[in-house]
Amino acid sequence: MIKRLFDIVISFTALIFFSPILFIIYRKVESHLGKPVLFKQHRPGLHGQTFKMLKFRSMKDAVDCRGNTLPDTERLTLFGKKLRSSSLDELPGLWNVLKGDMSLVGPRPLLIEYLPLYNKAQAKRHNVRPGITGWAQVNGRNAISWDQKFKLDVWYVENQSFWLDIKILLLTVKKVFVKEGISAEGHATIEPFKGNKPL
């Protein structure tokens, strides 16, 4: 209850405080990438139930001659890279926190198609609400392996506390300024998760 109350108060306050910045980014995205300005995608949340996650769009809707979406490296513009590196593209997610789809802190919501690929231990990441930031994000973000990321997510689920959340939020502010772990080596973001052997 304390965590949820904290999420509501902080996300509501942040949405009001950052409203001028949200408006400026909205217009910048519209100018550089066109509409839609918001990236909306269904992601698995608490207990694997899906919700529509919101972010500012950072990639072009570019396709090849067959209509297939081009790789991230070809769709991510210089403006998009700067937006992602600043983490300002995540600000619309505060609305997801206010609604209760997400929390300020928790495992990052991944793709729905990954759900059947998790082993029993990795699936524990869905025992809590997904977060805007998380333990894996302040310990490597996209620069660490999937195995490391899932171990950090599960550790958080098993050791979560209000003070740990405060620590993660403070570390997140630091990470945003130093811009560490934004992408995996050789990828615009991170390589797709392809599953593993069950534990």
Side-chain angles (χ1 to χ4, degrees):
M1 289 299 295
I2 294 176
K3 181 180 176 74
R4 180 63 191 138
L5 180 61
F6 181 75
D7 283 344
I8 292 171
V9 171
I10 297 300
S11 61
F12 180 75
T13 304
L15 282 168
I16 294 175
F17 180 80
F18 287 116
S19 57
I21 297 175
L22 286 163
F23 177 75
I24 292 171
I25 297 173
Y26 184 96
R27 297 306 299 267
K28 287 282 187 180
V29 173
E30 186 178 38
S31 173
H32 285 83
L33 300 174
K35 292 187 177 181
V37 171
L38 292 178
F39 171 78
K40 303 176 183 179
Q41 188 176 60
H42 284 95
R43 297 286 179 96
L46 182 64
H47 305 311
Q49 295 184 346
T50 61
F51 69 97
K52 189 176 289 185
M53 187 187 74
L54 303 177
K55 294 174 65 174
F56 278 120
R57 193 156 68 96
S58 59
M59 296 187 186
K60 297 182 294 184
D61 290 328
V63 295
D64 60 21
C65 58
R66 297 182 179 178
N68 299 313
T69 302
L70 292 175
D72 290 352
T73 50
E74 297 182 43
R75 295 189 297 123
L76 189 60
T77 64
L78 179 60
F79 166 77
K81 288 179 182 178
K82 290 180 179 179
L83 184 61
R84 292 174 69 92
S85 67
S86 69
S87 295
L88 292 174
D89 62 318
E90 301 284 354
L91 285 179
L94 291 168
W95 177 246
N96 288 124
V97 176
L98 188 61
K99 286 175 59 185
D101 298 325
M102 295 177 65
S103 178
L104 291 171
V105 179
R108 284 292 297 167
L110 301 175
L111 300 177
I112 291 176
E113 51 261 41
Y114 292 171
L115 283 174
L117 303 179
Y118 299 142
N119 58 40
K120 188 176 180 180
Q122 293 166 349
K124 290 182 179 180
R125 69 193 313 280
H126 292 294
N127 289 348
V128 298
R129 286 186 179 90
I132 296 285
T133 185
W135 190 232
Q137 275 57 52
V138 299
N139 283 283
R141 199 173 172 180
N142 289 331
I144 57 177
S145 69
W146 280 111
D147 185 57
Q148 291 172 303
K149 190 187 298 286
F150 289 135
K151 284 180 179 178
L152 290 166
D153 285 342
V154 172
W155 184 90
Y156 171 79
V157 171
E158 295 176 343
N159 295 274
Q160 61 178 313
S161 69
F162 178 74
W163 295 113
L164 177 58
D165 283 3
I166 296 298
K167 177 181 179 179
I168 291 171
L169 289 171
L170 292 175
L171 287 171
T172 297
V173 174
K174 176 185 174 182
K175 291 288 183 179
V176 167
F177 281 105
V178 298
K179 299 180 181 180
E180 292 179 344
I182 296 166
S183 61
E185 187 175 350
H187 296 271
T189 52
I190 189 171
E191 64 177 336
F193 177 57
K194 299 177 181 177
N196 41 221
K197 293 181 180 180
L199 296 178

